Amino acid sequence: MRPLVVITLLVLSIVGCAERPWHGIVRSPADPAPALVLAGAADLPVTRIRLDSFRGEVVVLYFGYTHCPDVCPTTLADWARAKRALGADTTGIRWIFVSVDPTRDSPAEAHGYARQFDPAFSGTAPTDAELALLLKDWAIAAYPEGDPRTPDYTVAHPAYTFVVDADGRFRLMIPPGVRADDIADDLRRLR
Amino acid sequence: MTSRTIFAACASGLLLLTGACGGSEQGTSEGDVGDATTTSDVTTMTGLSAVAPWARPADAGKNTAVYLELANTRPEGDSLTGVRSAAAERTELHESVMEGETMRMRPMIGVALPSGGRIVFRPMGPHVMLLRLRDPLVPGDTVEVTFDFASGRSLAVRAGVRAP
């Protein structure tokens, strides 16, 4: 009996020491996040984004577009649920939706769109030049599909939610479909 | 107590009658367009049924998605050839697909619905795409979409708008 107790304790201690798994994909090494500087709308300061000005806060980022019928609203609705799961105290987390469709989205429009999901969310849209730079810096793809001269083209865009920690390091990529409670769990650990 | 029993009997009779009428109508209306019984939860017509339809809220001029499950309980297979709705400038069947780290959408054309089969339209997957909404959709609204099949049958479905 005694050896069994010892083995059980040993196993429990090993399990206890093992790091709890993350729900998002952990970037290793966690390099400093690329720059993200967007001029925003002159009359709407909240749409002006300088990622390095948010040091000390966890920044949750999504690159989508406001005409997106399925994936973007599903993701932002998951964010809203994750925010609710974090409870009353959601300070220290900034939620930003960045449009990658500057042809149709203005910074104000992207901001209004994000706020439909939670009033604490903010949104913005880059200029064409800012978009080209952010796609390069973040090594991500976003491009129109269909005829961009018509109103009904769609936009291919990054599938993941990107999370930058309070030290400005690009720490996590959260795939679509991760449950809101699990998103909240990851963010709680980073805050 | 007695009046309640009588009321219950009348109500059941009425329900049965309605059901019977619906059945005979279904038998004769095969191939008709938009002549289906619609409810917010299950819509059935000539062996085609739509379960739990819902639509996302969106602003006028923007795009949104309708989700539901379509089932074919007839002995013959069928194929979904298109979808239409008066609520939007255009209505299409699309599928969200992840390619590497990028999310794309591709149109769906001619989706098979074999006998006993079903098509599940769900977030981050196949969906009915309403392009350029004529009016905003807000929670509590309903939006009607009609599915057309290769057999000539159609199924009109009323989806409630709700924030997921």
Side-chain angles (χ1 to χ4, degrees):
Chain A
M1 198 64 182
R2 191 164 295 239
L4 188 62
V5 171
V6 172
I7 290 167
T8 308
L9 284 174
L10 197 65
V11 168
L12 281 175
S13 67
I14 291 167
V15 170
C17 288
E19 202 196 348
R20 194 153 53 95
W22 292 81
H23 305 286
I25 298 163
V26 178
R27 289 177 58 86
S28 182
D31 291 326
L36 183 62
V37 181
L38 304 175
D43 57 345
L44 195 57
V46 73
T47 61
R48 195 172 300 139
I49 302 291
R50 265 197 78 98
L51 186 59
D52 59 8
S53 70
F54 303 137
R55 208 54 60 81
E57 292 176 274
V58 172
V59 180
V60 183
L61 270 177
Y62 193 71
F63 299 101
Y65 64 113
T66 72
H67 283 76
C68 177
D70 178 45
V71 171
C72 311
T74 302
T75 302
L76 293 193
D78 284 344
W79 281 17
R81 271 197 298 274
K83 181 171 171 284
R84 287 198 291 274
L86 286 166
D89 180 19
T90 53
T91 53
I93 301 178
R94 195 172 284 263
W95 316 75
I96 303 171
F97 168 81
V98 178
S99 168
V100 288
D101 183 17
T103 305
R104 285 182 296 194
D105 292 338
S106 68
E109 223 169 343
H111 182 60
Y113 177 78
R115 279 177 51 84
Q116 288 176 353
F117 296 89
D118 190 289
F121 295 174
S122 61
T124 192
T127 61
D128 288 336
E130 288 170 340
L131 176 62
L133 196 62
L134 85 84
L135 295 182
K136 183 168 87 53
D137 288 348
W138 287 76
I140 53 178
Y143 49 92
E145 295 196 274
D147 187 348
R149 288 166 304 181
T150 69
D152 293 332
Y153 64 92
T154 62
V155 180
H157 60 96
Y160 295 88
T161 290
F162 297 145
V163 185
V164 177
D165 71 13
D167 297 323
R169 291 173 303 170
F170 183 8
R171 286 287 295 279
L172 277 180
M173 290 167 62
I174 301 177
V178 171
R179 293 186 323 117
D181 283 348
D182 294 337
I183 297 173
D185 191 40
D186 278 3
L187 297 179
R188 209 177 279 122
R189 290 172 70 179
L190 282 181
R191 188 161 53 161
Chain B
M1 192 65 183
T2 316
S3 61
R4 193 178 293 176
T5 312
I6 292 168
F7 174 75
C10 289
S12 331
L14 196 65
L15 276 177
L16 281 172
L17 198 65
T18 314
C21 290
S24 67
E25 215 177 274
Q26 282 174 10
T28 55
S29 66
E30 190 166 336
D32 287 0
V33 168
D35 192 22
T37 313
T38 54
T39 72
S40 63
D41 194 33
V42 182
T43 306
T44 308
M45 184 189 179
T46 59
L48 294 169
S49 60
V51 182
W54 65 281
R56 282 183 192 286
D59 287 342
K62 290 287 173 32
N63 305 335
T64 194
V66 179
Y67 306 104
L68 75 163
E69 196 173 306
L70 286 179
N72 180 8
T73 52
R74 282 165 65 99
E76 308 88 44
D78 210 333
S79 170
L80 186 56
T81 53
V83 64
R84 56 205 153 86
S85 174
E89 295 288 338
R90 281 171 65 188
T91 307
E92 297 176 357
L93 298 170
H94 278 245
E95 185 173 24
S96 297
V97 283
M98 203 164 141
E99 285 182 6
E101 296 178 356
T102 303
M103 199 52 104
R104 300 180 58 198
M105 264 195 304
R106 63 179 172 217
M108 297 170 76
I109 300 154
V111 189
L113 189 53
S115 170
R118 59 188 55 215
I119 306 170
V120 181
F121 294 93
R122 56 177 172 76
M124 308 263 191
H127 54 271
V128 176
M129 183 168 169
L130 301 178
L131 295 99
R132 280 180 286 143
L133 288 170
R134 296 185 201 277
D135 295 303
L137 291 182
V138 297
D141 287 351
T142 55
V143 58
E144 190 169 302
V145 291
T146 302
F147 296 91
D148 296 320
F149 293 85
S151 61
R153 290 179 293 164
S154 294
L155 182 68
V157 177
R158 202 167 292 153
V161 177
R162 64 178 167 87

